[in-house]
Amino acid sequence: MVHPAVPRCAGGKVPGDVIVRIDTTTICGTDLHILKGDVPAVQVGRILGHEGVGTISETGTGVKDFADGDRVIISCIKSCGHCVNCRTNLPSHCLGAEGAPGIGWIFGHLIDGTQAEYVRVPYADNSLHKVPDGVTDVQAVMLSDILPTGFEIGVLAGQVKPGDVVAVIGAGPVGLAAMMTAGLCGAATVIAIDVDHGRLEQAKTFGATDTVVSGASNWKEQVLALTDGAGVDVAIEAVGVPETFAMALDTVRPGGHVANVGVHGKAVELHLEELWIRNISITMGLVNANTTPMLLKLVASNKIPAERFATHFFPLDQMMEAYETFSNAATTKALKVVISRVE
Ligand code: NAD
Ligand code: ZN
């Protein structure tokens, strides 16, 4: 589906588009939400997927910075580069007409996505990143969504600073991305909190210095014991249920930050009558993916081992098996499933 306001050349092509042959894609928790019907804007028949790495096979006449044959990361957020929101570093709310004005996330949502052999990428000049030599597809595909999301909406929004104690509630791919990047801002202690013991084990290889089992009767005492007793400096919520948002507020110190990353499906209570006097900042948001170039440099220089997220590998013609494995993560121990082009 293309918005009628998008200018088109004869033959239906938009000059700023490229067509990318998908070499590697993956599945996000959000795709599972879509299949459950939680994202009603997605029409039946839509090709899913907002993460991908591929090779440009066709380049629109208006594209300046990319050419046929370039290996590219497709950002989960499109950016026209010209609207007021793109110009003020908020491409998550790009006003470009593709998909729908005001929404940066369009792939596998409002237009066909990356879980396919080919994908059309609008606003190519601002929505793609060239993959440097030496960066593998497996590393690069983690930069479409999870690494910028954990870093921007968790670590940066939470204003992590040197010496901080940071709790990350939820050790799925997004929470692990926050743990992996918290050190970039100087976090001294990173506490992973999850119900799943397997995920907590994995968290230790993603930068967690300590782990706490969510739901243990003394979970809060365990967290406080890792601070000066006053609470954590930053609590990052990476689950998306009322209980874990409450846990974040429960463990943060006065003057601290709660960075909500999780997508909530139902209303969450906010007790301002108790919270106001604790001087807590609460942030939330949709990823802008504007830190991707910086994160890509760190992946290229082996400072961020992005390949660690990849746990299972499938060819593109085994997409259903890949979904099956990913949606049963508690038993399969899947973090990110890597789905590659069939040669
Ligand atoms: P995931 O489902 O793989 O991971 C969630 C983790 O939370 C799991 O390890 C699970 O065991 C754990 N968990 C569940 N209940 C818990 C509890 N009570 N206490 C502690 N841990 C608990 O999800 P993900 O792919 O890592 O994504 C995390 C969240 O981030 C989701 O809500 C997703 O929709 C959201 N997200 C937000 C953005 C954004 O732009 N804000 C972008 C991408 C994803
Ligand atoms: Zn825009």
Side-chain angles (χ1 to χ4, degrees), residues 211-300:
T211 59
V212 170
V213 179
S214 176
S217 57
N218 65 344
W219 73 271
K220 187 175 167 185
E221 288 70 28
Q222 287 186 55
V223 174
L224 293 185
L226 295 163
T227 75
D228 53 8
V232 302
D233 299 291
V234 181
I236 296 175
E237 197 283 348
V239 186
V241 295
E243 182 194 349
T244 46
F245 185 67
M247 287 168 70
L249 287 167
D250 232 16
T251 44
V252 73
R253 69 168 172 78
H257 293 258
V258 169
N260 181 88
V261 188
V263 173
H264 289 262
K266 54 181 168 180
V268 176
E269 281 185 23
L270 188 63
H271 288 283
L272 287 181
E273 76 282 10
E274 292 165 12
L275 291 167
W276 73 271
I277 205 166
R278 291 172 57 205
N279 299 57
I280 293 165
S281 305
I282 302 174
T283 53
M284 64 203 81
L286 171 63
V287 64
N288 284 297
N290 46 19
T291 62
T292 305
M294 183 278 285
L295 294 169
L296 178 55
K297 282 187 198 163
L298 294 176
V299 171

Side-chain angles (χ1 to χ4, degrees), residues 148-220:
T149 295
F151 184 57
E152 291 172 20
I153 309 299
V155 175
L156 290 185
Q159 296 187 24
V160 174
K161 57 185 191 312
D164 273 358
V165 180
V166 178
V168 181
I169 306 164
V174 170
L176 293 172
M179 294 176 211
M180 196 178 237
T181 54
L184 298 177
C185 293
T189 302
V190 177
I191 310 166
I193 307 176
D194 202 294
V195 283
D196 180 338
H197 291 255
R199 286 250 159 124
L200 289 177
E201 267 319 299
Q202 285 167 316
K204 289 181 190 158
T205 65
F206 283 82
T209 53
D210 299 270
T211 59
V212 170
V213 179
S214 176
S217 57
N218 65 344
W219 73 271
K220 187 175 167 185

Side-chain angles (χ1 to χ4, degrees), residues 78-87 90-91 93-96 123:
K78 58 96 187 191
S79 168
C80 75
H82 300 294
C83 72
V84 63
N85 291 337
C86 286
R87 284 178 185 277
L90 197 71
H93 296 281
C94 170
L95 295 167
Y123 309 122

